[in-house]
Amino acid sequence: MNVLKRLAVKNLKKNKKRTISTAIGIILSTALICGTATLVTSFQKTLIQNAINETGYYHIQLADITEDELKDIKANRDIKNIVETEEVGYAILPECKNEDKPYVKVLSISESTFKYLNFKLTER
């Protein structure tokens, strides 16, 4: 082993330019790999956060389910949280700029629903 160590050190001293360029290449390639991994991770987290901001924080949305189906879903032990919304109907919006659709959809939801869905309450 001592002979191999002496031979390696001798060749490193003999070829200084090649040794330095190899070391710089290793450093730059490591930085490139780390930078790319950081960029991909950041982009993925940004996409997830944008989806949460646009639609809300939930995994599945079920529509038009019956009371029996809702009881079965609530009885499932793998489901952590259930957020319920009920459509009350539509109301005319008096100062609407869209003349074709001067309506607003009215939902009935609980206060805990606001942290899971992307609703911004402007007035209470």
Side-chain angles (χ1 to χ4, degrees):
M1 189 69 173
N2 198 12
V3 175
L4 288 175
K5 184 179 176 183
R6 274 191 284 139
L7 184 62
V9 171
K10 181 181 172 185
N11 281 325
L12 288 174
K13 286 181 181 178
K14 188 176 182 180
N15 300 313
K16 288 182 182 180
K17 287 183 182 178
R18 186 175 68 182
T19 303
I20 291 172
S21 63
T22 302
I24 290 173
I26 291 170
I27 291 169
L28 289 175
S29 64
T30 304
L32 180 66
I33 290 170
C34 290
T36 305
T38 303
L39 185 68
V40 168
T41 304
S42 174
F43 185 66
Q44 181 183 19
K45 288 183 180 182
T46 300
L47 288 177
I48 291 170
Q49 193 60 42
N50 283 342
I52 290 170
N53 290 340
E54 288 178 14
T55 60
Y57 186 71
Y58 59 90
H59 295 283
I60 188 170
Q61 177 180 359
L62 303 173
D64 299 327
I65 59 173
T66 64
E67 288 293 325
D68 293 333
E69 291 171 334
L70 184 60
K71 287 178 186 175
D72 290 340
I73 292 169
K74 286 182 178 180
N76 190 338
R77 63 184 172 96
D78 294 329
I79 297 177
K80 291 183 183 177
N81 295 325
I82 294 177
V83 177
E84 298 177 54
T85 63
E86 185 177 346
E87 185 177 319
V88 176
Y90 291 89
I92 294 177
L93 196 60
E95 297 176 9
C96 183
K97 294 181 181 177
N98 187 356
E99 295 177 7
D100 296 332
K101 298 177 184 176
Y103 302 103
V104 63
K105 187 177 189 178
V106 180
L107 296 175
S108 170
I109 58 177
S110 65
E111 281 194 41
S112 63
T113 306
F114 281 99
K115 71 178 183 178
Y116 293 106
L117 300 178
N118 190 27
F119 290 121
K120 306 239 181 331
L121 187 62
T122 57
E123 193 174 315
R124 201 169 200 188

